[in-house]
Amino acid sequence: MSALLEVEGLHVDIQTQAGRLEAVRGLDLSVAPGETLSIVGESGSGKSLTALAIMGLLPPGARRKATRLRFEAQDLGALSRRALEDIRGRRLSMIFQDPSSALNPAYSIGSQLTGVYRRHRGGTAAAARDRAVALLERVGITAAAERLGQFPHQLSGGLKQRVMIAMALMCSPALVLADEPTTALDVTIQAQVLRLLRDLQREMQLAIILVTHDLGVVAAVADRVAVMYAGEIVESGSVQEIFGNPQHPYTQGLFACLPKGRAGRHGERLGTIPGLVPSLISPPAGCAFADRCPLVLNECRRAPVPNFRLSPTHAARCLRVAIPSVGEAAYV
Amino acid sequence: MARYVVQRIGVALLVLLAVSMLSFGLLKLSGDLATSMARDTASAAYVDFLRKEYGLDQPLPIQYLRWLSRALVGDFGNSFFYGRPANQLLAERLPVTMVLGVVGLFIALIFAVPLGVVAAIRPGGILDRLASAIALLGQATPTFWLCFVMIMLFGINLGWLPVSGTSSWLNFVMPGIALAYYGAPAFLRIVRSGMIDALASDYVRTARAYGLRPPTVLFKHALRNVLVPLVSVAAVQFGFMLGGSVVIETIFALHGVGYLAWEAIAQNDYPVVQAIVLTVSAIYVLLTLAADLLNAAIDPRIRLE
Ligand SMILES: Nc1ncnc2c1ncn2[C@@H]1O[C@H](COP(=O)(O)OP(=O)(O)O)[C@@H](O)[C@H]1O
Ligand SMILES: [Mg+2]
């Protein structure tokens, strides 16, 4: 199947007081129609900037470069501002981490939902309203018609995130980027919202890029996983490959740091691997994980480590993969 | 909402009460009223008579209550100078000042809001620097100087606008511009900083993520959230502008409250001064109340508390 989204060689630089930070360094990914790709990694690894770069919503001071950035056979980098606006919210949409700040406090949720719909689809106010009610009901909001007049501050966090999901789906997009959609919610609500996302995805043949630092979330909804570290994807594969046969010492470390036997259960945050993430203002020449890696070789620090293919779907950016005799990482 | 309104009105009444006490206190501190009413030539017996007649021999709280009950129905006594009721004088002059204030406020907002919005689009950019230069110039130039320049240019050289009096709406153009010039920098600043915050907010990013067009993002999603502070500043600024209109009214011979106040103070015309102080304070308090209520209408978080 041809890919819905193809990203190759994505770089994001961001200007900070301390210098130019290379937050995303040569990232490749692709998403097929209807699949869920989960990007997982510690906070600060560049997940949000990756999502925002795809949307063309980088904050001031940040710059995007990519050798390939195609969505539905269009080059996102070459589109005019207006053409990009026509795609955003209609074919390509986004759900943000904190629904409390992502909804406009001054407008009712009905006004915000119908505003998106009428922007792209036109039509009457009544049609937009019907669509809003239908979607609110679909995301599990009761008394949807009455809720349209309510304002964000009158809703709980879970309800607000459901409204955000409804808003992202108003125009039936092909791909939704969800940046930690459950991080701001209570644990019990998190599971409900995830189940909702998964159900909606099946129903609407939606592709999702789910950004998270929560392995439980990954296990619950993802088809494929990309593990991100210091601005790079260090390992990618199907959920089975990543959970059953992790190859990069960083991925292995993530699982080892979870309480034994509970990996993949919902609500598990990434554990802490000893050591510090290197500064991305002048990133290391070789593997960025070398300083924290129990299996480090001299070669690791010398030059950029290539991505080694383990199966048609599984790849890891680690020299140990190419030298299998050394065996598994000491974490396990 | 009802609770909020009642609460705001209660606060407004308390402020008015405090203002009335202060005003009464100032009147007492300003010396013996009977003596000033009687003028220098009067006999001591006549002064005593006046003192009794006006109840000035009573204990202070009684005097205050009497004074207050009269003030509440607008009775501030006769002007020493004009010999007519102070409230009549005020009622004649108030419309002129209000018209001037409203014209000035309107011009200031028309000018400052769009400028603040474009300045905020690119902080530190050319438009932003231009806007702050204009604001700085507005604050650094004395109002009277601007008035004279306008009078010379539009009034005398070009002859487009009348330079004094209140005979037509044209009389309010130059004073209105002068007053706006005085009031606009505060609006410019609040709109600019509010818009910078709003444009960096998550909800504006959301609006952009859903493909809304820049004018919608700017004017619907961002500017709406700047209205609440703008309305609050406008209420306060309108009060300042009423105060600032003294100079402008004098230059353009607009017979408004500012001009009356200037005359009354110069002539120790206490009843008129009192009437002006209390009325202007009441207007000020009402403006603040109106701003609070307007903000409740604008912001659902206030309205639906
Ligand atoms: N607006 C910004 N200004 C400066 N640095 C930023 C900004 N946004 C992100 N960064 C930096 O870029 C790196 C990646 O950030 P981000 O993509 O938000 O990480 P993640 O989403 O994985 O937690 C971090 O080191 C972060 O500090
Ligand atoms: Mg993030």
Side-chain angles (χ1 to χ4, degrees):
Chain A
M1 199 185 296
S2 79
L4 182 66
L5 175 77
E6 291 173 275
V7 178
E8 277 173 33
L10 176 69
H11 286 261
V12 176
D13 287 355
I14 188 154
Q15 199 60 48
T16 68
Q17 269 130 8
R20 225 183 69 219
L21 189 136
E22 298 178 38
V24 179
R25 305 179 297 136
L27 177 139
D28 303 338
L29 59 82
S30 73
V31 183
E35 84 167 338
T36 299
L37 169 70
S38 186
I39 300 179
V40 64
E42 287 168 301
S43 163
S45 53
K47 307 180 299 291
S48 294
L49 288 178
T50 300
L52 293 172
I54 293 169
M55 293 292 292
L57 288 175
L58 285 173
R63 257 191 353 210
R64 173 185 81 184
K65 233 173 45 195
T67 48
R68 193 176 173 83
L69 189 56
R70 293 181 76 79
F71 173 71
E72 292 194 314
Q74 282 178 297
D75 181 356
L76 290 182
L79 288 179
S80 70
R81 177 181 59 72
R82 290 181 69 85
L84 189 63
E85 284 164 9
D86 287 338
I87 291 178
R88 289 206 292 243
R90 188 174 59 86
R91 301 300 301 156
L92 174 63
S93 210
M94 184 152 180
I95 300 167
F96 294 95
Q97 175 168 351
D98 183 1
S100 298
S101 59
L103 291 168
N104 194 325
Y107 291 100
S108 68
I109 60 170
S111 151
Q112 296 184 58
L113 287 166
T114 56
V116 172
Y117 189 78
R118 297 193 75 191
R119 153 71 180 89
H120 292 293
R121 294 284 172 88
T124 62
R129 199 190 130 88
D130 289 347
R131 173 74 180 163
V133 171
L135 263 174
L136 285 182
E137 276 168 358
R138 182 58 202 87
V139 299
I141 291 180
T142 52
E146 290 88 84
R147 296 253 186 214
L148 289 182
Q150 289 193 314
F151 290 85
H153 76 277
Q154 295 174 293
L155 306 177
S156 69
L159 279 184
K160 273 184 278 204
Q161 196 57 297
R162 285 169 196 267
V163 170
M164 281 249 61
I165 293 171
M167 188 145 62
L169 300 182
M170 276 303 274
C171 301
S172 313
L175 173 63
V176 171
L177 309 186
D179 187 2
E180 313 225 12
T182 60
T183 305
L185 307 178
D186 292 343
V187 176
T188 47
I189 311 290
Q190 286 183 7
Q192 294 170 10
V193 169
L194 283 177
R195 203 170 313 127
L196 172 68
L197 271 179
R198 202 184 49 201
D199 294 347
L200 285 169
Q201 174 194 36
R202 288 189 187 145
E203 209 175 290
M204 304 177 84
Q205 284 104 48
L206 192 68
I208 297 178
I209 294 182
L210 184 80
V211 169
T212 182
H213 61 253
D214 185 333
L215 284 172
V217 170
V218 177
V221 296
D223 299 312
R224 285 194 303 122
V225 185
V227 180
M228 213 169 159
Y229 182 78
E232 290 177 313
I233 290 179
V234 294
E235 182 164 5
S236 60
S238 68
V239 175
Q240 291 77 16
E241 285 164 336
I242 298 295
F243 277 68
N245 182 27
Q247 285 299 307
H248 197 287
Y250 177 65
T251 316
Q252 294 169 358
L254 293 181
F255 287 111
C257 289
L258 295 177
K260 278 268 180 284
R262 294 187 57 200
R265 283 264 293 278
H266 185 69
E268 300 297 350
R269 295 295 156 89
L270 296 188
T272 5
I273 299 167
L276 291 174
V277 184
S279 159
L280 293 180
I281 289 174
S282 44
C287 174
F289 189 60
D291 285 345
R292 298 167 82 184
C293 182
L295 301 175
V296 63
L297 305 167
N298 285 336
E299 289 82 347
C300 295
R301 302 186 199 271
R302 257 179 224 142
V305 177
N307 210 14
F308 292 101
R309 205 147 271 298
L310 294 145
S311 84
T313 50
H314 194 181
R317 200 177 281 281
C318 180
L319 290 177
R320 291 282 173 181
V321 173
I323 314 167
S325 58
V326 183
E328 266 193 296
Y331 295 118
V332 183
Chain B
M1 176 70 174
R3 231 188 87 200
Y4 177 79
V5 171
V6 169
Q7 198 186 0
R8 289 289 104 188
I9 292 176
V11 169
L13 287 176
L14 280 179
V15 172
L16 276 179
L17 195 68
V19 168
S20 76
M21 285 179 186
L22 230 99
S23 177
F24 178 75
L26 284 177
L27 183 68
K28 287 284 128 189
L29 283 179
S30 65
D32 182 11
L33 263 190
T35 317
S36 39
M37 273 189 286
R39 304 285 152 110
D40 305 339
T41 51
S43 67
Y46 180 57
V47 173
D48 263 358
F49 164 76
L50 281 178
R51 194 167 284 136
K52 281 225 171 54
E53 179 70 16
Y54 284 92
L56 298 174
D57 52 347
Q58 301 281 323
L60 274 184
I62 304 267
Q63 284 191 44
Y64 169 70
L65 285 179
R66 279 195 184 165
W67 173 86
L68 184 65
S69 61
R70 284 205 307 271
L72 277 180
V73 295
D75 177 7
F76 297 96
N78 282 347
S79 159
F80 297 162
F81 182 71
Y82 287 98
R84 292 167 51 207
N87 59 3
Q88 261 185 29
L89 285 170
L90 194 61
E92 287 166 15
R93 306 296 188 89
L94 203 52
V96 174
T97 299
M98 291 310 258
V99 168
L100 177 59
V102 170
V103 169
L105 183 70
F106 188 72
I107 297 175
L109 287 173
I110 287 276
F111 171 78
V113 172
L115 199 60
V117 170
V118 297
I121 292 174
R122 208 177 294 276
I126 292 178
L127 288 172
D128 186 27
R129 274 180 288 170
L130 191 71
S132 22
I134 292 173
L136 201 67
L137 204 70
Q139 280 177 319
T141 322
T143 311
F144 70 84
W145 183 83
L146 176 72
C147 292
F148 290 142
V149 170
M150 281 197 295
I151 288 173
M152 278 183 345
L153 190 63
F154 300 113
I156 298 170
N157 288 351
L158 295 169
W160 290 350
L161 294 167
V163 297
S164 74
T166 50
S167 48
S168 92
W169 66 271
L170 286 173
N171 288 91
F172 287 93
V173 174
M174 281 197 283
I177 291 174
L179 195 56
Y181 193 68
Y182 173 80
F187 297 138
L188 183 62
R189 268 196 307 274
I190 195 84
V191 171
R192 177 185 176 274
S193 68
M195 281 299 284
I196 288 175
D197 288 349
L199 289 176
S201 72
D202 281 2
Y203 56 81
V204 160
R205 187 175 64 183
T206 305
R208 302 210 295 130
Y210 293 148
L212 301 184
R213 294 288 190 207
T216 314
V217 173
L218 216 53
F219 294 105
K220 183 177 173 195
H221 285 271
L223 187 59
R224 174 66 180 260
N225 284 281
V226 180
L227 286 188
V228 168
L230 179 62
V231 164
S232 302
V233 168
V236 173
Q237 197 65 8
F238 188 65
F240 279 136
M241 283 162 72
L242 290 185
S245 72
V246 175
V247 175
I248 294 169
E249 284 181 14
T250 313
I251 292 174
F252 289 96
L254 287 177
H255 285 252
V257 176
Y259 198 69
L260 183 67
W262 181 72
E263 283 176 336
I265 292 166
Q267 289 153 347
N268 285 348
D269 195 348
Y270 293 117
V272 175
V273 174
Q274 287 279 298
I276 292 174
V277 167
L278 274 183
T279 309
V280 171
S281 311
I283 290 174
Y284 212 94
V285 171
L286 284 178
L287 279 174
T288 316
L289 179 65
D292 285 345
L293 298 184
L294 194 56
N295 276 341
I298 293 171
D299 189 338
R301 283 167 298 183
I302 304 175
R303 177 174 6 125
L304 299 170
E305 250 333 291

